[in-house]
Amino acid sequence: PGVFSIATFHGQPSKGLTFTPHTIRSFDAFFLYGPLHKQALDEYLADNPSVSADHLRIVPVGYPKSDRLVAGAYTRHDELAKLRLDPSRPTVLYAPAFNQGASLQEAGEAIVEELLAEGRLNVIVKLPVDCLGQSSSLATTGGVDWFSKFALREEQDPRFRLFRGLRIDPALAASDVLITCVSSVSFEFLAIGKPVVFIDTPRFFSTYLKARYPSV
């Protein structure tokens, strides 16, 4: 109490969970990433008239997380060379969300196998950082060691790479198409003018969100 408190956010709003009454009450200022972020806040407040945000100072800060990506600090040719992938092939990046009901736990292996079966694509997988934790955590991995699983697949196909960097920007620059589900990474890829394919994940909304947030 008495300390001016500022909230920054993990990414652009993508899962319908960016704002809560507790979050709004707890901070004096929100640093928002841009018009989409502000629109999400406005729509949340319109849907929840009992929640007051009159005390909040709204500060548009842009999206500094992607500044280097948008500015062209990474090139497709250079990043594919680092990954030892053929630049003449179209390159698809699969970057799913980690949550239960999201595409990684629902069908991640099948999605990758379908892409590789096409025969002419480079395929890169960027796993969520949540998968770096213990594979015994059902909430973040579904009980699967995804890094070991995809590392094994990498040994079997020269067109497949498991991207191990923490910052996804080089993988985004290397790729021609992004496949994801409810991850906010989609907005970062759209910002550089490239197409995104969204995997439908109805169980994320009907089961996971309902169980974790009954009031949503």
Side-chain angles (χ1 to χ4, degrees):
V3 176
F4 193 86
S5 301
I6 298 169
T8 61
F9 296 82
H10 167 74
Q12 295 282 1
S14 62
K15 297 178 182 176
L17 300 171
T18 303
F19 306 107
T20 66
H22 175 75
T23 304
I24 291 172
R25 287 195 303 266
S26 299
F27 292 93
D28 300 293
F30 278 2
F31 281 8
L32 300 185
Y33 293 135
L36 177 67
H37 208 175
K38 179 61 163 60
Q39 178 183 337
L41 175 61
D42 291 342
E43 291 180 359
Y44 175 83
L45 294 173
D47 291 340
N48 298 272
S50 63
V51 179
S52 174
D54 293 343
H55 65 288
L56 275 178
R57 184 181 302 178
I58 304 299
V59 184
V61 296
Y63 200 38
K65 179 177 184 289
S66 292
D67 280 351
R68 285 175 54 77
L69 175 66
V70 173
Y74 311 92
T75 69
R76 180 182 186 275
H77 182 274
D78 288 348
E79 299 309 324
L80 287 176
K82 292 175 186 176
L83 293 168
R84 302 186 310 281
L85 290 172
D86 183 352
S88 69
R89 294 179 180 273
T91 299
V92 176
L93 170 64
Y94 175 50
F98 72 92
N99 313 77
Q100 293 175 346
S103 67
L104 178 62
Q105 294 192 32
E106 293 287 285
E109 285 186 275
I111 291 167
V112 170
E113 292 304 322
E114 186 74 17
L115 291 170
L116 289 171
E118 198 277 340
R120 64 187 187 95
L121 303 173
N122 294 323
V123 178
I124 303 171
V125 167
K126 169 63 172 74
L127 292 169
V129 293
D130 308 82
C131 292
L132 289 168
Q134 294 294 322
S135 59
S136 58
S137 171
L138 294 178
T140 56
T141 67
V144 177
D145 183 348
W146 292 103
F147 275 92
S148 295
K149 185 175 289 292
F150 283 119
L152 181 62
R153 190 67 181 88
E154 187 177 41
E155 296 174 3
Q156 300 167 347
D157 196 315
R159 296 178 296 113
F160 177 77
R161 292 290 182 272
L162 174 59
F163 186 82
R164 294 170 173 82
L166 293 179
R167 180 181 291 277
I168 197 173
D169 290 358
L172 294 173
S175 303
D176 302 299
V177 176
L178 170 69
I179 297 177
T180 188
C181 44
V182 293
S183 172
S184 60
V185 72
S186 59
F187 296 110
E188 298 165 36
F189 204 66
L190 290 169
I192 54 176
K194 295 182 180 180
V196 178
V197 176
F198 291 94
I199 302 295
D200 189 21
T201 54
R203 275 174 28 88
F204 171 80
F205 298 98
S206 65
T207 303
Y208 171 76
L209 286 190
K210 291 296 184 183
R212 189 164 182 181
Y213 303 96
S215 61
V216 173

